[in-house]
Structures are given as C-alpha cells and as structure tokens.
C-alpha cells in the first residue's frame, strides 16, 4: 500500500497522536471550561496547552488568539463571514478551494462584491495584480497559502504587506502549507489564518483552527454556551470564547497538540527536506514516462509536495482507480473541490490525479508509483 | 471518584467507543466522500453506517436526513439561522440553554422577533401558552426537550402538533434527552432535532448532529468543499451535503455510532430504569438532609436524571468545590449556561449544584454523595 492522499487527510498519524486521543477519552473525560471539578479542569488544561503549542508554532501573540474549530472550512466560514458585510469588497486568487470560494459566493447574493485575481496557468500569482484589484471598499483579501491542486505557493508575505499598509484584513487558508512551510503570522502580516488539524499537523479528523490577530474584530458565526459570562445573552466579547460555542473536541484537540509537538521535535525543515526529496524523485521519474503532463509551476513543484498530473487521454478517475485497484496506491482524482484552480490551469473538464506526500511516505513507495504509471502508460499505448 | 456531570459530557464511555475511535484512526484513515480509493471509501462507509444507525434510532425518513456537526450548539446554530429571516417571529420557552438563546438573541439585532413563553417556577410549560404566543409571522418554535438545569421535560408532542398544524417549523434541542427519552421524530412532529454526540449517546466529544425533516429547506450557515458537485460555486442543494462542509470527524462519528449501538443493545428503557432508580434514591435521601432545596417539577425530577439543588446558604461553587476536593465527587455548580432557566426557577443569583447521572453511575456512588451532603450540612450548622 502507498497512501498518497495526504492533501485530503494525512495518514498515518504519529503513534503519540493515537495514544493521546485514546488516553484523553479514557482518563480525562470532563467538559473543558465547564463545571470546575478536577476532570473539567484537566480537560481545560489540555485545551489550553494545545492553544499554547499552536500559538508558539505560528508565533501568535498569545494562546487565546487560537480558536478551535471542526475543520479548516469551519474556520474559513467564521473568518469570511465574521469580516464581510454588504457593500464590502473581497479579493481572492483564482486558485481557491471551494472552502473559500463557496462562502464568498454565498455572500455575493447579499451585497458583497468579489474580484478573483487571475493566476497564470501554472498557478502563480503576481502581487501587483492584487494591488491593482484593490478598491476603496476592499475589506478582505482571502487567499490560499499553497494550492491544493498544484502545490503552487502564493506570495503571501508580499500580499500581507500590501494588505496591512491599507488596513485590509488578510486571511490565509493554510490547508496545504501548515506543517510544511514556515508560518510566522507576524512576519507574513497575516490577520487571520485558517488551518486544518488533520493534514500537515498530523492531528485527528474533526480538528482545525483559526488564528485571529489581536485587534481584529469578528462578528461570531455561531453563538452558544461558553462556560463564561453565562448570565449574558450576548456572546462574550473575548477570545477565544467569542468564536467558540459549545463543547470542544477535547480528545481531538489533545491529539492535534501531539501532532504539533511531533512536528516541533522533527523540525519543519527536516519534514520539508524529506517531502521535497520524494517529490523531486517522483518528478524526475515522471519525465521519463510517456504521456505524463504535470501541472503547476516547475520551480515550486517540490516545495509543497502536492503534484497534479494526467496520463495521455486517460480520465483522471480511471487512472486513480487503476492505481488503487491494481497497485494499492491511493491518490485523488477529479477537481479536488477547487473548480477555480482547474479553470486556471485548464483542467476543468477532466480534473487531475493528485499525489500528495507526507513525512511517512518512503522512496520505495514513490518508485512503486512510478513503475505503476510506467506500466499503465505502456499498456494504453 | 463519583462522576455526576454527565449532563455536561458523559464519562466514562462504553469500551467499544474507545476502541472504535482508535481503530478508525489507525486503520481507516481516509477522507470520507473525497477521492474514491479504498481508504476514502472505507471512511465514507463508516460515516454512512453512522447515519443509518442514528436515523433508525430517531425514526428518521432516511440516513441522509442526519447531518453531522461539531456539537449540539453547532447544530442549533445551523438550524436557527437556516430558518429565520428578518421579520420572522420565533417562540422559545423560558428554560432554554444559551445554545438556543444566544443565537436567537443575535438574530434579534437583525430584525427577528423573539417571544419567550414563561414556564412555571418548577420549569414546566403549558402548551396553551405557546399557542397564545403564535403570531402570523411565527416561523419557528425552538425548545429544549428536557431542561439541563432541572431535568423538566417539555410537552414536545403537544407543541409539535400545534406547530405542524400551523406549518411552523419545530426545532427541538435534545441535549439532555437523547439517549434517555424515546425520540421518534415522526410521532413527536419534530422538523429539526439538534443533538450532542458526547452526552446521552456516549460518543466522543467533537460530535453532534442535526436531524432535518424531508422538505424542510435550510439556508446553509457554512459552505465549502463537499466532495460533490465540485464544479459548482453554490453549495449542493442535497442533504446532507448542503449542511456539511469540510472534512468530517470520521473517528469521532464512528465512535458515536458505537455509542448508539450500545444504547440499542442495552435498550433505552433499561437505561432509563437504572437512571431513574439512582435519581429516586438520591431524591429520597436528600429529603432527610437538613437545608437541601431541590428545584424543578417534583413529578418529573427522576425522568431525566438531572437534579439541581442548593444547600442552606452555601454558594453553589463552594459546595461543588467541597464535594470535589474532599469527597472526589464531580458535579457542576453555577448557571449551566442557562440564565433564562435560572431566572425562571429563581436561582439566577447563586446558581445551583447539578447532579446528572449516566448508565455507568452506581447506587454506591449515590450513597456516597448523600453521606457527603449530610456531613457538609451538619458542619455548616
């Protein structure tokens, strides 16, 4: 088996993640932030420690600037709908995932204006084009950090600077970058960073988060019990309570914290080096296979180990099916929930087959994938 | 140790729940509904089976009428904001949790009208009062099934009938009733049922759901990737995709399904009988302790095993602290995120100490709690 679908959800996870989730369920079963007895306090401590480890990982001001969510999509909805009001203008790239595009599209039905800045056909974005799209009512620039289709990395630092100088809120979707690229929210001028827990951070599914810069005021998407200021019908106006209603996923979040500790112990550069090595070998091998088209920017193809390809005229679903059923190789075909990106790179009709690597993939698995592709290529002539 | 905070989150869980969560994380790591390879399909199958088991448990039309959420609060927000528009009128009881009250309060700032039907000081509600509160623009009646403060059970069947006859949407918050009371959504005329996974269903934290009756149209609160109709910028208009954006909590949901299977195996009536037995013994013992006040409706106090009390003039937090620190008994003091309920029963100033039982509590633990309360009562004179 070779699991190359880490951009959808990473698997396997580090052993400590499995163990922590189980241990927390069995032995730390209280409701964090409620009650006040020892089991509730233990749960609250686990959650706070998770905020701490993630805040440090992102160079956030404080653990309270980390809000836990169900997944990155939840975080993106909280961010986008927390900022935009009718009459506001929002700018995105043309490489966005539906988790950015669909919430914004829904808001355009309520008077929000949306401009999509066109990327080149390799997925790259010129920050000048973002600058040109800014209007007096631009309130938000929302952008993926790295494309989930081509792995293309966006110039977030430059765009962050452009946004900050104009007091435009800058939201980054770190779905494919967190746990791989260095993210220092201060250095990159990021106001809001939405991230999944279950991809590059190696946490369990059902986790994600939103970094909210101190001073950025969001209208909450959801209200409910917080275990704080319970006498008030208004959602408490402090972070993280303002954006966290209801019982958190304590075992999941404790597992996520273990995932981040694993990354810190390994060091992001080691992870990146390993994944880049796999990606480079894969790309090198692909060059020798007849009929392979690789999408995205050649210079960046190995930076975030997400590689989209097609083989001759084969349907992407058919190729993925052959790889899975005959070679036990798991990849993702189709549009990867990113129609805008596929329009940009010219693959909206057939989609692509995506290979995405993690620290747990091996060079042997990559060789196996290359042999499989070679065999399929020669078979279909 | 005696854990009596099951109304906040149940603990422990059945052994199968722990094992399933771990097994799914280790061995079924794909992203459900994405990709199409065997690991993704295995995950999708687990999710579908969870929908099936819950749909059957609630007598829902079909598994696709079950939407998975992060918790009951998430489900209530999706329901309330999916139904109400400016100019609409909503009716609730005066026993609601902040997970119902706070989202509605936020909507009153955008032109939604809210009437709170006053319950008696024992928490009971007269359906006639709900009928009287209906106006031509009443679009929603939202109500807890059982109070999380007093355990008082609301007349949902009668109110469901009133609502259905008038084509008013009826939303029930089953946070304290699911897994204890029989819930047949058809019999009770329920249109929307929000439920937590981590309380009476004995699933892990980070799970919850919303039953949506066939034909009830909700505007989605969140949009994003669904793995379906990916070429469309509009959220797919089919259930459950319309209301489920982003990666689901596969291990958590598989664990939740195990919790429901455990309930089915035990039978709800056995669970109810056990919890009622504990509650009756507790209430009987409390009568003999000087200075105890028990809140709620005497007739219903043991139906849902949630019992709120105060001891003499002791602050609720102080009593809970003594029980935890000296006797290793975990209860919840304060307002339990339900200020409306405390105003109704007259305890908004000091709150109450809440004991809530599960199938795993024992009669010995109840006796231990009674002895502890007796000792504290005699000490404070």
């Amino acid at each position: 088996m070779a699991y190359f679908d880490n951009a959808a959800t990473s698997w396997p996870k580090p052993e400590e993640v499995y163990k922590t989730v189980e241990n927390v369920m069995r032995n730390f079963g209280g409701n964090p932030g409620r009650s006040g007895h020892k089991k509730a306090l233990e749960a609250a401590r686990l959650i706070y420690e998770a905020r701490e480890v993630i805040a440090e990982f992102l160079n956030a001001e404080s653990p309270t600037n980390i809000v836990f969510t169900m997944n990155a999509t939840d975080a993106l909805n909280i961010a986008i709908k927390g900022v935009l009001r009718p009459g506001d203008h929002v700018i995105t790239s043309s490489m966005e995932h539906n988790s950015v595009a669909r919430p914004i599209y829904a808001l355009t039905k309520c008077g929000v204006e949306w401009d999509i800045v066109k990327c080149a056909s390799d997925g790259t974005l010129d920050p000048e084009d973002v600058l040109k799209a800014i209007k007096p009512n631009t309130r938000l620039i929302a952008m993926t950090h790295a494309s989930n289709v081509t792995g293309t990395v966006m110039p977030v630092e430059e765009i962050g600077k452009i946004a900050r100088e104009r007091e435009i809120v800058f939201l980054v979707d770190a779905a494919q970058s967190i746990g791989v690229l260095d993210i220092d929210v201060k250095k990159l001028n990021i106001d809001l960073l939405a991230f999944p827990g279950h991809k590059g951070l190696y946490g369990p599914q059902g986790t994600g988060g939103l970094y909210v810069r101190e001073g950025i005021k969001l209208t909450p998407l959801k209200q409910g019990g917080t275990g704080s200021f319970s006498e008030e019908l208004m959602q408490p106006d402090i972070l993280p309570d303002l954006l966290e209603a209801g019982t958190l996923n304590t075992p999941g979040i404790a597992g996520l914290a273990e995932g981040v500790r694993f990354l810190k112990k390994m060091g992001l550069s080691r992870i990146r080096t390993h994944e880049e090595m796999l990606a480079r070998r894969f790309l090198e091998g692909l060059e020798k296979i007849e009929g392979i088209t690789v999408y995205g920017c050649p210079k960046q193809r190995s930076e975030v180990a997400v590689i989209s390809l097609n083989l001759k005229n084969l349907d992407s679903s058919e190729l993925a099916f052959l790889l899975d059923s005959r070679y036990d190789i798991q990849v993702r075909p189709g549009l990867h929930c990113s129609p805008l990106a596929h329009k940009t790179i010219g693959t909206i009709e057939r989609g692509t087959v995506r290979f995405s690597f993690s620290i747990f993939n091996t060079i042997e698995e990559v060789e196996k994938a290359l042999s499989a592709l070679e065999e399929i290529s020669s078979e279909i002539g």
Side-chain angles (χ1 to χ4, degrees), chain A residues 180-252:
Chain A
V180 182
L181 303 179
D182 291 309
I183 301 180
D184 176 329
V185 289
K186 286 183 193 142
K187 183 164 167 255
L188 301 179
N189 289 307
I190 292 171
D191 295 311
L192 299 164
L193 184 93
F195 59 90
H198 62 101
K199 298 184 179 182
L201 297 183
Y202 296 101
Q205 288 177 14
T207 62
L210 180 67
Y211 156 75
V212 181
R213 185 166 73 86
E214 207 59 53
I216 298 289
K217 286 281 170 207
L218 297 183
T219 306
L221 183 65
K222 297 176 264 187
Q223 294 85 8
T226 50
S228 62
F229 305 95
S230 289
E231 67 288 3
E232 299 287 345
L233 285 179
M234 190 141 98
Q235 194 70 3
D237 193 22
I238 53 161
L239 283 178
D241 305 33
L242 177 72
L243 306 175
E244 278 178 2
T247 300
L248 290 174
N249 178 358
T250 313

Side-chain angles (χ1 to χ4, degrees), chain A residues 35-53:
Chain A
S35 305
H37 54 69
K38 62 175 78 74
K39 288 198 84 63
L41 293 176
E42 282 164 0
R45 182 179 54 75
L46 286 170
I47 299 282
Y48 192 80
E49 286 173 357
R51 290 193 213 281
E52 278 183 324
V53 75

Side-chain angles (χ1 to χ4, degrees), chain A residues 329-344:
Chain A
I329 291 171
Q330 283 77 47
V331 296
R332 184 170 178 187
L335 298 183
H336 320 103
C337 298
S338 299
L340 294 177
H342 284 277
K343 277 183 193 154
T344 305

Side-chain angles (χ1 to χ4, degrees), chain A residues 227-279:
Chain A
S228 62
F229 305 95
S230 289
E231 67 288 3
E232 299 287 345
L233 285 179
M234 190 141 98
Q235 194 70 3
D237 193 22
I238 53 161
L239 283 178
D241 305 33
L242 177 72
L243 306 175
E244 278 178 2
T247 300
L248 290 174
N249 178 358
T250 313
I253 290 168
L256 170 57
E258 278 310 307
V260 179
R261 285 184 194 109
F262 165 83
L263 289 178
K264 286 186 172 179
K265 210 165 60 190
M266 292 284 284
L268 277 202
S269 69
R270 182 139 51 125
I271 287 169
R272 224 164 25 229
T273 305
H274 178 75
E275 295 183 9
E276 276 190 21
M277 180 272 289
L278 298 178

Side-chain angles (χ1 to χ4, degrees), chain A residues 276-294 301 307 309 311 355 357 363 365-375 377:
Chain A
E276 276 190 21
M277 180 272 289
L278 298 178
R280 286 209 186 117
R281 170 62 198 126
F282 188 54
L283 289 164
E284 189 188 285
L286 288 177
E287 277 178 25
K288 294 182 191 121
I289 301 172
E290 200 203 321
I292 291 277
T293 309
V294 179
R301 269 176 197 145
I307 294 167
L309 57 82
L311 176 58
F355 289 73
F357 304 140
I363 193 75
E365 290 173 337
V366 170
E367 298 297 344
K368 184 178 156 179
L370 288 168
S371 304
L373 287 168
E374 177 123 43
E375 209 168 279
S377 172

Side-chain angles (χ1 to χ4, degrees), chain A residues 33-78:
Chain A
R34 275 68 175 173
S35 305
H37 54 69
K38 62 175 78 74
K39 288 198 84 63
L41 293 176
E42 282 164 0
R45 182 179 54 75
L46 286 170
I47 299 282
Y48 192 80
E49 286 173 357
R51 290 193 213 281
E52 278 183 324
V53 75
I54 294 170
E56 195 197 312
F57 188 66
L58 298 174
N59 194 26
E61 301 90 308
S62 130
T64 56
N65 296 87
I66 306 299
V67 170
F68 288 116
T69 64
M70 183 166 151
N71 47 37
T73 303
D74 194 23
L76 285 164
N77 275 272
I78 291 169

